[in-house]
Amino acid sequence: GIDLDIDPYGYPHISFVDSLSTTVRVASYLGTTGGSCDFNQWDCATISGTHYTDWGETSIAAESTAGVIHVSFYDAMNGNLMYAVFNLGGGWSHEYVDYGASGTDVGVENSLTVVNGIPVIAYDDTSNTDLKVATWVGTNKGDCGENNRWVCNTIDSAGWVGTPSIAHNAQGRIFISYYDWTNGDLKLASQLFPAYMPLLKKP
């Protein structure tokens, strides 16, 4: 899977699966020479660590003048939906967002947007043939992901649904387009952010 975003400075950033190394990588345009890619005006980084994959979707958002880049991707080795973030000067970090039962896949198809600095990921749950959305809420405030940092909700569970694409408007309303494989329909879900989230756990 390949995805592209343009940062506030106008520079492109591309997330992609490198089938030779079975890793997820990001290529970022530098505007000058000195990068690590074969064409040295680009810098290439492996972001997936030990979470190997040679298939599945990636989705990228370079949304901040502070150099923050967000990526969602699929970990084929473990069948998990993953999230990685780059902070300028701090490097890449990654974590799992959701995972399926043994032998099943979650997040093969995924799409990411960032609302006011908060990542939101629409993805397929192949184990249940459902469409889900995950929202980052912070450590021990959610119901899924590493250290319960995410809230994961089912958006549509009628039949076999998936192949999502997510975006938001200036008012913060989230839109998810997706395909209903059971009925052969194109569908759209929308909600004002953060209404997808249930009440957070109180400390």
Side-chain angles (χ1 to χ4, degrees), residues 2-188:
I2 301 171
D3 197 30
L4 165 73
D5 197 24
I6 309 297
D7 70 23
Y9 297 108
Y11 288 171
H13 301 264
I14 305 168
S15 62
F16 62 98
V17 173
D18 183 337
S19 60
L20 293 178
S21 63
T22 63
T23 58
V24 177
R25 306 185 74 196
V26 168
S28 298
Y29 183 69
L30 302 177
T32 184
T33 58
S36 61
C37 297
D38 291 340
F39 187 66
N40 67 6
Q41 287 189 328
W42 290 78
D43 194 55
C44 292
T46 297
I47 69 168
S48 53
T50 58
H51 299 276
Y52 297 105
T53 189
D54 58 357
W55 61 297
E57 298 299 319
T58 68
S59 185
I60 191 168
E63 49 80 41
S64 171
T65 55
V68 180
I69 302 172
H70 308 259
V71 179
S72 60
F73 65 94
Y74 172 64
D75 169 12
M77 178 175 285
N78 299 296
N80 297 344
L81 173 67
M82 302 292 298
Y83 165 76
V85 62
F86 176 82
N87 291 284
L88 191 64
W92 285 96
S93 61
H94 60 269
E95 61 185 271
Y96 77 83
V97 177
D98 198 2
Y99 57 90
S102 178
T104 61
D105 300 307
V106 169
V108 175
E109 296 170 335
N110 60 83
S111 182
L112 165 76
T113 192
V114 179
V115 186
N116 298 324
I118 299 173
V120 184
I121 306 170
Y123 60 102
D124 64 330
D125 179 352
T126 307
S127 57
N128 296 299
T129 64
D130 295 341
L131 175 71
K132 300 179 74 174
V133 66
T135 304
W136 190 91
V137 292
T139 300
N140 293 324
K141 294 181 179 179
D143 60 8
C144 63
E146 289 188 31
N147 297 313
N148 288 325
R149 293 191 186 104
W150 299 79
V151 169
C152 296
N153 288 330
T154 300
I155 302 304
D156 193 344
S157 60
W160 178 20
V161 290
T163 319
S165 180
I166 190 171
H168 70 279
N169 64 14
Q171 291 71 44
R173 178 171 289 275
I174 293 174
F175 297 85
I176 302 173
S177 63
Y178 61 101
Y179 187 60
D180 180 343
W181 294 92
T182 300
N183 299 297
D185 294 333
L186 175 65
K187 291 186 173 181
L188 179 71

